[in-house]
Amino acid sequence: MSFPKGLGHLTIMVPRKLLYVRSNYLFGSRCWMIRFSTEILFKSVSFRPFSKKCDNADSEPLENEELLNNLLTMGVDVDMARKRQPGVFNRTDTNEQDLQTFLLSKGASKEVIASIISRYPRAMTRTPESLSNRWDLWRRIVTSDLEIVNILERSPESFFRSSDNLNLENNIKFLYSVGLTHKDLCRLLTNAPRTFSNSLNLNKQMVEFLQEICLSLGHNGPTDFVRKIIFKNPFILIQSTKRIKANIEFLQSTFCLTNEELLSLICGPGAKILDLSSDCMRRSYRNIKDKLSSLGCTAKEIRKFVLSYPDMIFLGEKKFNDKIDCLIEEKVNISQIIKHPRILDSSISTLKSRIKELVNVGYDLSTSNISLLSWSQKRYNAKLKKLCIEQNIVLEN
């Protein structure tokens, strides 16, 4: 059969015995087929044309060659950018040179600009006017252009993900309205800048949810509660209310917390673990419980261990078990670990090297304070030097 002009040409071969077919389902139309040798002629055919064009129409869209040349000149990792957001390379309205000029004027180096575009190519689609307006809004929070450049270098998506500057402005006004200070907003923008790319409704939902949690637990200061929990966990506004609710319920039921204890936990040391998926939190706690039980710890000791330093739940099962095993092998008593859970923040290599150094200067880990295993390097070195002087030992460089 022959399609109308512009749709190409198609011939269908059928058995010679086929004489007549009515209501052809392929084309959704009524058509009559009359045998004429092996050719089929269609009469009075109506149909919806295919979405794909014939001939060269199914070839890949051509990339913007001028854009590619500009990016190579700018030092952009084109392969990385293409993998992350390939659609940008088919556009003809990119503003890569305007973007570079703008960021250079704000103090960014060419290397930083190339890195930003490599990791978030969509930045090139923002107009100079939009960039300037968004930058001015960010400057209401941070004190210098360099601070914004540093945030962009770390997380380019946070600035370029949205071009809705009105939403950004409304988010800033809203967060001020719920009691957050300028310092709070600055910390949010530095640590969790995606908060300001959230829709205003999403941020409102989370704040209202946290206020409801506060009131349901018998606390009369929802504004203060929200401010405290956001200060402790700046990432909470980019989580789902469903996740936060599941984690709070898990903590209360698992540790049999009173309302007052739960409030104290989630406004303090437990605020950060609310980010975890509920499944991850459950698995991690189950592993901690099983591992410590196998070493003779009671349920009361395990509860105290986790609640005194909930960040322990962030450790994966293998990492937690390996660190415990490392300390036990080095003759550190499990009761000491329970009292000083922060030592598990240190890597296994750091734990081993420090234990070796301390043993060499006569420090008895089985009877002495082991918290220095998690001290800052500067503080630890000062203590080690003091121990060496006491033992008249010369430290090796």
Side-chain angles (χ1 to χ4, degrees):
M1 74 176 179
S2 294
F3 286 166
K5 184 178 179 180
L7 293 176
H9 183 81
L10 176 66
T11 300
I12 300 179
M13 306 300 291
V14 298
R16 290 180 179 272
K17 292 183 180 181
L18 178 62
L19 297 177
Y20 174 79
V21 176
R22 187 174 183 178
S23 298
N24 185 315
Y25 72 92
L26 174 62
F27 299 101
S29 61
R30 176 168 299 185
C31 51
W32 297 84
M33 299 182 190
I34 303 175
R35 177 184 172 203
F36 184 80
S37 183
T38 59
E39 295 182 6
I40 308 299
L41 299 178
F42 284 70
K43 186 178 182 181
S44 301
V45 179
S46 63
F47 57 88
R48 187 185 301 273
F50 293 110
S51 60
K52 282 191 175 181
K53 297 179 180 179
C54 298
D55 300 327
N56 297 326
D58 56 352
S59 59
E60 290 290 330
L62 295 177
E63 290 186 335
N64 185 336
E65 291 187 11
E66 182 181 357
L67 169 62
L68 287 173
N69 291 333
N70 287 340
L71 295 182
L72 290 171
T73 301
M74 293 165 64
V76 172
D77 186 335
V78 174
D79 289 336
M80 178 190 292
R82 188 184 282 117
K83 288 178 181 177
R84 293 188 176 225
Q85 293 165 352
V88 175
F89 290 84
N90 302 324
R91 298 181 60 157
T92 58
D93 58 346
T94 55
N95 304 300
E96 64 280 1
Q97 292 178 324
D98 289 334
L99 174 63
Q100 184 183 50
T101 301
F102 178 82
L103 291 178
L104 284 172
S105 72
K106 300 300 182 182
S109 67
K110 291 184 177 180
E111 292 75 19
V112 167
I113 296 169
S115 174
I116 288 172
I117 296 175
S118 298
R119 290 178 290 136
Y120 201 77
R122 200 171 294 151
M124 300 181 293
T125 65
R126 306 301 179 225
T127 65
E129 181 182 6
S130 176
L131 288 174
S132 181
N133 291 339
R134 197 166 190 80
W135 198 276
D136 290 343
L137 288 170
W138 275 42
R139 276 301 304 270
R140 293 185 186 180
I141 301 172
V142 298
T143 57
S144 70
D145 289 338
L146 184 58
E147 285 185 72
I148 300 179
V149 170
N150 289 336
I151 294 172
L152 265 60
E153 184 178 6
R154 188 179 70 250
S155 174
E157 180 186 5
S158 61
F159 186 87
F160 297 106
R161 182 169 177 253
S162 171
S163 59
D164 190 346
N165 291 333
L166 179 59
N167 181 70
L168 170 60
E169 186 172 12
N170 288 336
N171 268 324
I172 293 172
K173 291 177 180 177
F174 170 70
L175 293 172
Y176 275 131
S177 74
V178 296
L180 270 65
T181 65
H182 180 83
K183 184 178 180 181
D184 295 329
L185 262 66
C186 188
R187 189 166 184 269
L188 267 179
L189 192 57
T190 303
N191 293 281
R194 249 191 69 187
T195 300
F196 296 89
S197 294
N198 278 352
S199 71
L200 177 62
N201 285 336
L202 274 179
N203 284 336
K204 281 185 174 181
Q205 286 174 18
M206 179 57 79
V207 168
E208 289 169 0
F209 169 75
L210 292 175
Q211 290 173 337
E212 289 172 5
I213 289 291
C214 171
L215 294 172
S216 70
L217 294 177
H219 188 54
N220 295 323
T223 298
D224 185 54
F225 172 80
V226 169
R227 183 173 179 271
K228 282 182 178 179
I229 199 169
I230 290 177
F231 182 80
K232 287 288 185 179
N233 181 4
F235 300 97
I236 197 164
L237 290 175
I238 59 177
Q239 305 301 331
S240 70
T241 55
K242 182 180 179 181
R243 170 176 293 192
I244 303 302
K245 181 180 180 182
N247 285 338
I248 289 176
E249 289 175 348
F250 171 77
L251 290 172
Q252 186 164 33
S253 62
T254 301
F255 297 104
C256 302
L257 300 172
T258 65
N259 288 351
E260 186 177 352
E261 289 173 330
L262 182 59
L263 274 169
S264 178
L265 179 65
I266 61 180
C267 277
K272 292 181 181 179
I273 63 172
L274 296 177
D275 290 346
L276 288 170
S277 71
S278 55
D279 287 342
C280 181
M281 184 181 286
R282 291 173 189 276
R283 286 197 310 271
S284 183
Y285 173 68
R286 189 183 305 117
N287 176 71
I288 292 171
K289 184 179 178 182
D290 291 345
K291 183 66 177 177
L292 296 183
S293 294
S294 71
L295 294 170
C297 295
T298 64
K300 185 177 180 180
E301 288 174 326
I302 296 171
R303 181 181 187 274
K304 180 182 177 182
F305 173 77
V306 176
L307 292 180
S308 64
Y309 195 54
D311 281 8
M312 200 55 56
I313 294 178
F314 278 116
L315 286 177
E317 292 97 321
K318 185 177 186 307
K319 188 173 289 186
F320 177 83
N321 293 343
D322 288 348
K323 288 184 178 183
I324 293 292
D325 291 341
C326 169
L327 290 167
I328 297 297
E329 289 171 5
E330 298 294 341
K331 312 304 180 186
V332 177
N333 194 290
I334 188 62
S335 61
Q336 293 174 286
I337 301 174
I338 296 295
K339 291 178 183 177
H340 303 283
R342 289 178 183 270
I343 63 172
L344 296 178
D345 278 345
S346 300
S347 66
I348 290 179
S349 59
T350 297
L351 289 172
K352 286 185 175 181
S353 63
R354 288 189 176 185
I355 288 172
K356 182 179 179 181
E357 290 170 340
L358 292 169
V359 169
N360 287 341
V361 297
Y363 193 82
D364 188 352
L365 287 166
S366 63
T367 58
S368 304
N369 182 9
I370 63 169
S371 63
L372 73 173
L373 293 175
S374 62
W375 287 359
S376 68
Q377 193 63 46
K378 182 178 179 180
R379 186 183 179 193
Y380 169 75
N381 287 341
K383 177 65 175 179
L384 185 62
K385 185 177 180 180
K386 183 179 178 181
L387 291 171
C388 288
I389 292 173
E390 291 173 356
Q391 299 295 327
N392 198 23
I393 297 174
V394 178
L395 275 175
E396 296 180 5
N397 293 328

